[in-house]
DNA sequence: CCATGTTCTTGATCTGGATCAAATGAATAA
DNA sequence: TTATTCATTTGATCCAGATCAAGAACATGG
């Protein structure tokens, strides 16, 4: 659903109106979007692609600090990130907030609101960000026409659940240094998948946001960055990260204390 | 989690039936299952119910400690819990495990495996448990015939995501006593929804499992139970819990240190 | 340019909850 | 019945990481 590289004009001319006035000349479609492999189901037929293209409103631009949606907003739209980055977070009664994730181009946002009809988290751009908007009811109709599309939606949601479980385990069980190392490797991996350098990149989020996601204090995150640098694992200068020793970082990831004995099965037993 | 004190007998009677040996004669259908309101979409037409009934294999009985499925098993079936209770957990490379949830009658299990085609968590019965099995490919076909069914699947998954986010926030931000209080209130609430007493019930899971879910040590959980009892909030005797002061427990829930000032909006800003 | 507010870093302390240790209670098996 | 094993409780100690404090590096607006 995200279109990054505009090209085929002729096909686009047939398209319906979209909200952006002065970009109407540059009609991009899912077909020629460099990200479609990330946000669309594999193996869509040509005709199916066209159906999808008719449903999508393209290109909403969000400035840094602006919200894509806020908690309690009514849910009507799913977003595909085209460029930039977004953080999602929920806030609890008392006002404290919990960052639930950072999202990069190719990711689908907003699906977790399906059950409530209003958003239960907020999504804020960490930098200038552009997204494709997909009206959910239209998308839901489409899923009935295109089986692989339905499967894809389920796919995306189940991946979110799995990543949340992973995050849970991390916060509950891993020491601070392993959490940060994992976070950096996961970012590195995402960039790799998107064709960027996996060893050198800029963080678009603040130390505060990172700390929050990982369940740590800002000071701890800052100190860990310094420690990693002292150990020669990476170089960090404000937002700029260069990873020197990927394997070393990987090792930090698995440094968990009190590993149960290999033959420990007791914890698998019911009460 | 648990067989508690039934407040509505008719419902309880239905829950008990599957422990009896030869029930093959008594064909139950979704229509007359006391739990259908919990595990089925509302407003299914009569004909739709029949279609669903044809797809469902009823009544698989699982003994305490047995697995419904294990991590890495190929995914083919979704399970609806009829009676009993189940814990789900994932294990990481080094062997330590993370309990991701406890599941009560009416809940749907296994959907999070959709994206991977094999399970990424394991599900173990905490007591004798009976489930309905639903072949996923058949279910997926059904969703195309019954729109509200598709919506329901999405509903269930998005609820799971939301509850995971809640869990994340809890582990990352709340002190131990608030986590346990929340856990008990959530259990209480579930029992309430299923027609059981919300103030008196049995825990089907071990202290170890509770500690694991909440990201705490067993000793901490045990101590907290004692503290709560000393404060007169509840009585605990092994697995048996009687809540005396629901509001008091609620207060513990919100006892989070370092609440941001009410006008604190800085943390919502991007870096 | 300077003034003001943010974000990030570093150091010094403090503490919630983990870990270690040991006794008790329940459940299961012989 | 008595071992044996596992679950739970309680006490004593320890430590990873939070909190407090104070600069340093940037950013933003006048």
């Amino acid at each position: 659903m995200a279109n990054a590289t505009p090209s085929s004009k002729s096909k686009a001319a047939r398209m319906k109106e979209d909200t952006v006035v002065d970009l109407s000349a540059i009609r991009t479609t899912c077909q020629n979007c460099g990200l479609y492999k990330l946000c669309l189901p594999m193996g869509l037929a040509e005709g199916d692609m066209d159906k999808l293209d008719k449903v999508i409103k393209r290109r909403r631009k969000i400035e840094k600090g602006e919200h894509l949606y806020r908690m309690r907003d009514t849910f009507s739209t799913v977003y595909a990130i085209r460029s930039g980055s977004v953080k999602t977070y929920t806030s609890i009664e008392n006002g404290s907030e919990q960052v639930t994730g950072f999202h990069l181009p190719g990711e689908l946002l907003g699906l977790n609101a399906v059950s409530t009809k209003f958003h239960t988290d907020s999504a804020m751009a960490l930098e200038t960000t552009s997204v494709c908007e997909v009206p959910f009811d239209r998308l839901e109709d489409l899923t009935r026409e295109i089986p692989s599309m339905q499967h894809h939606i389920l796919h995306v949601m189940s991946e979110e659940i799995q990543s949340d479980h992973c995050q849970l385990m991390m916060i509950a069980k891993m020491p601070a240094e392993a959490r940060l190392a994992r976070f950096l490797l996961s970012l590195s991996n995402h960039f790799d998948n998107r064709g960027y350098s996996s060893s050198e990149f800029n963080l678009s989020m603040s130390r505060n946001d990172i700390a929050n996601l990982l369940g740590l204090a800002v000071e701890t995150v800052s100190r860990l960055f310094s420690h990693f640098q002292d150990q020669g694992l990476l170089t960090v200068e404000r937002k700029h990260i260069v990873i020197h020793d990927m394997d070393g970082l990987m090792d930090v990831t698995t440094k968990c204390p009190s590993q149960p004995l290999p033959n420990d099965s007791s914890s698998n037993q019911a009460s």
Side-chain angles (χ1 to χ4, degrees), chain A:
Chain A
M1 289 149 194
N3 304 294
T5 42
S7 57
S8 132
K9 261 189 163 185
S10 53
K11 191 160 264 167
R14 280 185 259 123
M15 305 259 95
K16 266 201 349 198
E17 245 347 274
D18 87 19
T19 50
V20 182
V21 187
D22 49 2
L23 282 177
S24 46
I26 311 169
R27 292 291 178 167
T28 58
T29 62
C30 288
Q31 274 103 318
N32 58 39
C33 171
L35 291 167
Y36 84 97
K37 283 184 183 161
L38 287 169
C39 74
L40 284 185
M42 295 295 87
L44 266 195
E46 177 82 4
D48 289 341
M49 278 270 206
D50 288 342
K51 284 182 194 164
L52 182 62
D53 271 326
K54 291 209 179 77
V55 167
I56 295 180
K57 286 192 226 162
R58 234 156 265 98
R59 293 252 172 108
R60 183 171 146 206
K61 198 174 149 197
I62 312 281
E63 295 299 333
K64 171 175 172 175
E66 277 186 277
H67 280 81
L68 215 46
Y69 56 81
R70 285 170 186 273
M71 204 164 149
R72 287 179 235 290
D73 283 355
T74 58
F75 164 66
S76 62
T77 313
V78 173
Y79 303 88
I81 305 178
R82 289 167 44 83
S83 67
S85 56
V86 170
K87 78 165 174 182
T88 48
Y89 63 95
T90 58
S91 348
I92 208 131
E93 316 80 50
N94 64 20
S96 76
E97 72 176 47
Q98 173 67 42
V99 173
T100 51
F102 300 119
H103 307 275
L104 296 182
E107 283 186 66
L108 246 44
L109 243 58
L111 277 171
N112 56 318
V114 177
S115 71
T116 38
K117 285 287 149 209
F118 55 87
H119 289 280
T120 54
D121 59 353
S122 306
M124 193 180 74
L126 292 167
E127 60 196 308
T128 303
T129 292
S130 120
V131 297
C132 295
E133 298 187 327
V134 192
F136 180 68
D137 48 359
R138 301 294 314 276
L139 184 63
E140 215 176 5
D141 293 342
L142 253 196
T143 60
R144 279 188 281 277
E145 297 176 40
I146 313 174
S148 72
M149 191 67 201
Q150 157 172 20
H151 205 83
H152 186 65
I153 301 285
L154 293 179
H155 197 282
V156 168
M157 292 183 78
S158 94
E159 269 185 343
E160 159 101 46
I161 293 173
Q162 286 173 27
S163 107
D164 285 346
H165 286 175
C166 188
Q167 186 75 4
L168 264 179
M169 149 107 62
M170 196 166 82
I171 296 192
K173 299 265 151 58
M174 288 162 77
E177 54 175 359
R179 295 187 219 171
L180 186 61
R182 236 187 121 97
F183 168 74
L184 290 173
L185 287 174
S186 134
L187 261 189
S188 160
N189 193 41
H190 277 260
F191 285 127
D192 201 32
N193 289 339
R194 285 162 180 76
Y196 294 101
S197 167
S198 63
S199 61
E200 181 168 6
F201 46 84
N202 287 302
L203 302 172
S204 59
M205 68 294 290
S206 69
R207 300 283 191 275
N208 228 309
D209 286 337
I210 297 174
N212 192 312
L213 177 83
L214 301 178
L216 298 170
V218 207
E219 295 93 327
T220 305
V221 169
S222 185
R223 268 185 264 269
L224 285 173
F225 270 127
S226 303
H227 290 168
F228 286 167
Q229 185 161 242
D230 294 347
Q231 295 171 248
L233 294 172
L234 48 75
T235 303
V236 52
E237 202 192 326
R238 217 124 219 278
K239 304 281 190 190
H240 189 73
I241 304 280
V242 183
I243 299 179
H244 299 307
D245 183 357
M246 206 67 85
D247 292 339
L249 261 191
M250 213 89 82
D251 290 344
V252 175
T253 284
T254 55
K255 248 187 216 163
C256 294
S258 75
Q259 312 213 7
L261 303 172
N263 59 358
D264 172 52
S265 63
S266 62
S267 50
N268 273 11
Q269 296 314 303
S271 53

